[in-house]
Amino acid sequence: MNNPSNNNTYVYLYSDLDKVESHRKDWDAVRGLLGGKGANLADMTRLEIPVPPGFTVTTEACNAYLAAGEQFPEGMWEQELKAITAIESATGKKFGDAQNPLLVSCRSGAKFSMPGMMDTILNIGLNDDVVKGMVEKSGDARFVYDLYRRLVQMFGSVVMEVPDEVFEAVITAKRKEKGVASDSDLSAEDWQLVTTHFKEIYQTYTGSPFPADPLEQLKLATEAVFKSWNGKRAIDYRNAAGIAHDLGTAVNIQTMVFGNMGSDSLTGVAMSRNASTGENVIEGDFLYNAQGEDVVAGIRITQTMDELKQEMPAIYKEFSDIASKLEQHARNMQDMEFTVEQGKLWLLQTRDGKRTAQAEVKIAVDMVEEGMITKAEAVARVQPSQIDFFLHPQLDPKAVKSATVWGNGLNVSPGAAVGKVALDADIAEKWAKDGEPVIMVRPETKPDDVHGMLASQGIITSRGGRTSHAALVARQFGKPAVVGVEDLTFDWTERTIALDGITLHEGDWVSLDGTNGTFFQGEIPTVVPSLENPELSKLLSWADEIRKLEVWANSDYPRDAQKAKSYGAQGIGLCRTEHMFFETSRLPVVQKMIMAKELSERKAALAELFPLQCGDFEGLFKVMGGDPVVIRLLDPPLHEFLPAYEELMHDITDLKMKIQHASELDQLNAHLDKLRVDEDFLTRVEALGESNPMLGTRGVRLGIVYPEIVRMQVRAIFEAAVNCKKSGVDVRPKIMIPLISHINELKLEKEILEEEAKSVLAQHNVELNYEFGTMIEIPRAAITADELAEVADFFSFGTNDLTQMTFGVSRDDAEAGFLVHYLGRGLLQDSPFDTLDQKGVGSLMQLATQRGRSSNPDLHIGICGEHGGDPRSIAFCHRIGLDYVSCSPYRVPVARLAAAHAALKDEQNS
Ligand code: ADP
Ligand code: MG
Ligand code: MG
């Protein structure tokens, strides 16, 4: 151990951190070797923070032990013994000595924290002789026997796997016998008897006596930590958390300090800042006269750090100085364990604290302002998914604090939902229609259940994992969900659900938190954290300084555009004009236009639509000021605007019946009129009918067959633009022609449309900055992008269609059918409609970008598919050099941050 050239060093004293660093390339590697807990204990030691002396047995020793079939690697045990000697001289105590005994704890600690992997064993080194000596010397038998029983209990349950309940039952019986409520009210004699009893239990369960030799205790405890790495608990945890299985765990052996040595002793845990709000105040709990996990075990009511401040101001001051020193050092909020032994403060652990999204943002921003971290670090620290927190309602944290969790499962879709239990999709839908909030609770969900899921506030299922149908659909539609609640049972005759002895009837209230996978009985109030949070605005403004991609939004209506702009959108990347055609008041005119038998008739209908369209565009332009607005010309096949075939057939049969039975002439005439209209519709629907509308007469094809429709749209766009310009509003219209696959389509279309544009401008004698461009959503367009770019001013990737056409699947059919199987069986890692398929669809995008720019270096390129709001897809768009991403308004803040992350990553790599 004292020979750094020996590469079989398995044991490092906390005071030997420099030795580790001399042969590890960075802190990450140090943590890899010593584990997070060990590395930080050594680091605190170097910072001269009071840490009880100790040492770490490395993760490499653990791996060697496991690889050798549970044999300590050569030299390891000898090194451990030497390290014990070193602590003995540091503390002036001796392991196993009855007069002045050294006691130690044995704590596991992997590179990444794995809660619940192996419990810590305190007070190693006690035996009957040592206990006797300690009692004589300290005169405090209660204290000593409390330590002893803890050792036997922890050693028994953790190392030898004696069920802990057996031990706990003895203590409970003792409390009853004595008529006391709390462990701390038991006497020395009580603990002595409990210890004797514990040793008997130990002997019964393990077949051998409790080991009296402290070195034997140490050895078995060390081995137990190594073995725990491959325990079921640990493996399950690693699988769930995505932690590699070959890291191994380190073992920390550390001098005991005692928080249970009387009223000037205590033990506690504290965060350097508030983990829920991020406020810069120390928050924590402590207990007088307690040891180890008593604070978190909930056996006694804890006290707050404010109370510590009042009752032990000097200790509090020392602790708060240490907390800020540790924060400065780690440049992050810290979660610390501490103990005060007879008025002396000791730190036992520190690590970066877990916190809510809100606290994450506030802490990051505050730390920049305190000069602790850079803006870029603050931006990098907040994850785009955390921005979701500010967009979804949350259960009111205050109410949650006083509620008890009823159950938990997998947190597959974030956000809070509160509603009445509905046990099937039809009920869910029915109640929702009546205005009741519902939570659909099912064993699992199937495509037939989607209508119920859509009607629900949230979803709970007892089966299924992260890629179950329920999880997939919930995420896709932004429904908070908890799935895989295995112990939840259903009674279909009583229509009840039960869990942990609690039964709820259909219609009872539940509240769920999809962010952490918990749910509660009853109705918990919700709060919507605001995007107008000042810290978030600041953080996003820093993200804006960093990112290279512009962030635009998809908005069809001025009110959405307004929202998008307030979230920071720099333009409209997609305005879908068909929504304007679908509006109830306009649909009859649109239908008249479609039904027209003659061009003149159609033009008359279009003339009626024209002023309405003008108004639509004017609204958008006004909101966006001088920012670009991309307007996509009519895209869907025309039959979508007519009644559905089945509906017409049904109505016609119905009308014919009514006509046969009509008794009054007026009635008969009305029916006959309606029949004529329906039959006309039917003829037209039949004529327009296509066997594959998705691949039929839509997009630019529509514009080529019915040029008068798109001409009207373009005229409306330019009239609106001219009007705005005249009233002093700057405008930048960009006309986007959808579904191009061949250059000739684009040439023809652009020619007739630009002619229209020019005529409007000439008529008003106005000049405008406008552009014509195309969507890239068919593979052929991507491949021939160099040709298209000679005509187009801009490209926008319509990645929904591009994904459909590249995979040769229809999204609706995939999502209602086979996609769940594909994801469940791992054929696809992610739905290509959620996150860009970089290899396939992404390659086409990259190719189109390169080819497009090769023939038109000024070509402006963006993406307007939903992928434009997905952080991974955004990173890809950054890498291939797009100019902007466009997403739905409420994804804009997420996209701003994700784009900044992509840029930061770039910097790191260069
Ligand atoms: P976990 O990883 O589960 O938090 P720890 O190893 O941190 O486990 O220890 C469990 C509890 O025992 C903590 O409260 C810790 O502070 C306490 N503890 C561990 N080692 C010692 C020690 N040497 N002296 C006093 N308390 C200790
Ligand atoms: Mg623990
Ligand atoms: Mg701990």
Side-chain angles (χ1 to χ4, degrees), residues 37 52-53 103-109 113-123 154 252-259 267-269 291-296 337-339 346-349 351:
K37 194 181 281 170
L103 302 189
V104 296
S105 62
C106 173
R107 325 168 66 184
S108 70
S113 137
M114 293 172 53
M117 176 163 84
M118 201 198 91
D119 289 323
T120 293
I121 304 161
L122 303 180
N123 313 326
M154 290 190 248
N252 288 286
I253 305 297
Q254 189 174 24
T255 308
M256 285 302 306
V257 289
F258 303 105
T267 181
V269 291
Q291 188 172 37
E293 310 236 3
D294 293 355
V295 186
V296 285
E337 292 174 2
F338 62 98
T339 281
W346 297 95
L347 267 284
L348 287 161
Q349 189 169 340
R351 62 183 155 198

Side-chain angles (χ1 to χ4, degrees), residues 182-202:
S182 157
D183 285 3
S184 56
D185 296 327
L186 292 175
S187 68
E189 213 169 56
D190 295 333
W191 287 125
Q192 189 173 2
L193 288 170
V194 166
T195 309
T196 311
H197 202 155
F198 277 8
K199 286 208 273 184
E200 286 161 17
I201 292 172
Y202 185 97

Side-chain angles (χ1 to χ4, degrees), residues 1-9 12 16 19 23 82:
M1 171 185 75
N2 294 322
N3 176 5
S5 68
N6 173 3
N7 52 13
N8 287 333
T9 304
Y12 291 94
D16 277 347
K19 289 192 187 146
H23 62 95
K82 255 194 187 169

